[in-house]
Amino acid sequence: MPPIDVGPPSGTRDLFPGDVLLRRRTFAAVEAAFERHGFEPLDTPAFERLEVLTGKYGEEGEQLIFRILRRGEHAASGEADLALRYDLTVPLARVVARYGSQLPQPFKRYQIASVWRADRPGRGRYREFTQCDIDIAGASSLVADASVILAMVDALSAIGLTGVTVHLNDRDALHGLVAAYAIPESLGASALTALDKLAKIGPDGVAAELRSRGIDDAAVDALHADLTATDPTAAIVARVGEDARGRAGLERIAALMALLPSEAGIHVVHDPVLARGLGYYTGPVFELTHPALDASIAAGGRYDGLIGMFGDEPVPAVGGSLGLERILLILAEQEGREAGGQGPGPDVLATVLDPADAGDILAVATRLRAAGIAVDVYSGEGRMKKQLRHADRRGARFALVRGGDERAAGSVTLKELASGEQTTLPETDAAGFLRERLGLDA
């Protein structure tokens, strides 16, 4: 029998204590920021009916859905009827369509949960990853769009990521772009998919991809000239403004920019080729970037037609998603550590040199924990030197020793690992001593 590959599947990873604790801190800060803005938590199943997910994500996204084959007597068919969540937005649309009358209007929700993409992952990207969404369903006003952007920027600030840039565009402005360069409407979505890659492949790469997608040379040459102009935004906006629908999109961009208060300290730019690949967007779209990573760390937009696909009535909606995996990569680098490793460790590691002392030491540990002190009791075997080495590796501040002599005297010995200072004191005084030295009463 060949050996089993014990590594995680490609595009996934194991999370060690340091990673998990960083994620918990980050998630807690993000959740608190969202709740300050009036968003409420929601959770949905990890998988959905296949028909719920298909037809929502555009030509490229459709290929990345992880399908689940039929089970039981249908297994031999090789057909799929379920799929793992691709994102958190489509499940939200299903929830609103199903429970709309029971939800407040507008409904403001956030969700932090795993999603799956059948992708070839690069740096900071995975096939299984955590997504973090906020959405407002039931509001057509641009106040909702502005509220989503402000909440996302606030959440990023709460975890220490300042200096974020918000890139704005609008799907109507993109329609005007397609019309302005005389791109056939049948090829419009394909052309926008290529344009959306500008930051990754540059103007020459976009031009090559547009030609490969059947866009004629005149349109490609005009677009390439504007993309390489001294002020590409001005050049493209001038053309978009010649189309009535394009002008409506440009006006909406300006109105949304005006709603974002200067007090928020947001740097906002109009990005005229920002398309967002998902096919369900209908109005303003946006991405957030940070200098520490050459990719967007958040994105979103308005999707007024999506929820109506699941019901009889259209429901306006807008939302955004924080790219938590990329953000966590930045935070780990800011902390100056590689992924993995230990967390901060317990306050105290209690040594056990004689198995006969274990019950007494567990009782001491229980009393200290009741006083708010984190205590780990050594459960392996080995001499004092080995146990102290383990305490140091765990990042414990103190080691606790309580043998027969200490038990008879009702005392404990506490050793501060950083300084080597050793103190023997009555067990009744140990909690107060530790809380003072650990700064727990500050």
Side-chain angles (χ1 to χ4, degrees), residues 35-364:
E35 290 177 7
R36 283 196 299 273
H37 287 255
F39 291 86
E40 297 180 292
L42 178 73
D43 202 3
T44 58
F47 52 89
E48 297 277 354
R49 293 182 178 85
L50 183 59
E51 62 265 28
V52 168
L53 301 183
T54 53
K56 315 298 190 305
Y57 300 113
E59 61 173 292
E60 293 191 4
E62 196 77 11
Q63 305 303 314
L64 303 182
I65 296 174
F66 261 114
R67 289 163 168 79
I68 301 174
L69 296 181
R70 288 181 179 273
R71 298 144 306 285
E73 62 185 72
H74 303 290
S77 70
E79 297 177 350
D81 61 340
L82 302 173
L84 294 175
R85 274 188 310 232
Y86 180 92
D87 73 350
L88 302 178
T89 306
V90 171
L92 168 68
R94 177 188 58 76
V95 167
V96 173
R98 172 65 178 82
Y99 305 101
S101 62
Q102 303 170 39
L103 300 173
Q105 295 294 328
F107 178 47
K108 300 177 69 171
R109 85 87 167 87
Y110 72 84
Q111 183 175 359
I112 300 178
S114 294
V115 298
W116 292 265
R117 307 275 174 93
D119 200 357
R120 289 186 177 181
R123 180 176 181 267
R125 297 178 69 91
Y126 303 94
R127 293 197 292 175
E128 178 188 42
F129 58 97
T130 300
Q131 204 168 68
C132 172
D133 276 21
I134 55 170
D135 294 83
I136 303 177
S140 58
S141 167
L142 285 177
V143 171
D145 303 65
S147 296
V148 167
I149 293 171
L150 288 169
M152 295 176 76
V153 172
D154 191 15
L156 292 171
S157 178
I159 57 178
L161 291 182
T162 56
V164 169
T165 297
V166 178
H167 303 255
L168 277 181
N169 204 12
D170 189 276
R171 296 294 277 197
D172 281 346
L174 288 166
H175 177 275
L177 183 151
V178 169
Y181 291 93
I183 298 171
E185 190 170 337
S186 61
L187 295 176
S190 182
L192 294 178
T193 299
L195 282 167
D196 204 32
K197 299 178 181 179
L198 177 63
K200 295 181 181 178
I201 63 178
D204 293 343
V206 168
E209 182 155 345
L210 286 169
R211 287 192 171 91
S212 73
R213 290 170 177 265
I215 310 302
D216 66 46
D217 288 342
V220 173
D221 291 343
L223 258 170
H224 186 268
D226 287 346
L227 290 172
T228 55
T230 304
D231 187 346
T233 297
I236 294 172
V237 165
R239 292 187 190 253
V240 171
E242 297 172 3
D243 176 78
R245 186 171 166 187
R247 283 196 302 275
L250 294 176
E251 290 168 2
R252 198 154 45 234
I253 292 167
L256 179 53
M257 285 183 168
L259 284 174
L260 298 172
S262 58
E263 292 84 352
I266 302 176
H267 180 221
V268 187
V269 298
H270 174 200
D271 186 342
V273 298
L274 172 64
R276 300 291 301 132
L278 302 181
Y280 52 62
Y281 289 118
T282 59
V285 291
F286 57 85
E287 286 188 350
L288 278 63
T289 60
H290 188 274
L293 194 66
D294 186 23
S296 66
I297 58 173
R302 177 162 286 278
Y303 52 97
D304 288 345
L306 180 61
I307 298 174
M309 296 174 72
F310 297 106
D312 298 328
E313 297 294 329
V315 179
V318 60
S321 178
L322 297 181
L324 279 178
E325 303 300 347
R326 296 179 183 179
I327 291 167
L328 289 161
L329 187 67
I330 296 172
L331 296 177
E333 291 174 349
Q334 287 182 346
E335 289 188 357
R337 66 171 182 83
E338 297 292 330
Q342 296 292 331
D347 298 325
V348 177
L349 186 128
T351 61
V352 182
L353 298 177
D354 185 340
D357 297 331
D360 174 66
I361 292 169
L362 286 166
V364 172

Side-chain angles (χ1 to χ4, degrees), residues 376-394:
D376 180 14
V377 177
Y378 188 75
S379 55
E381 297 179 353
R383 297 179 180 274
M384 176 66 77
K385 185 176 180 179
K386 180 180 179 181
Q387 297 192 34
L388 292 177
R389 187 164 58 243
H390 178 76
D392 188 59
R393 184 179 180 186
R394 286 294 320 279

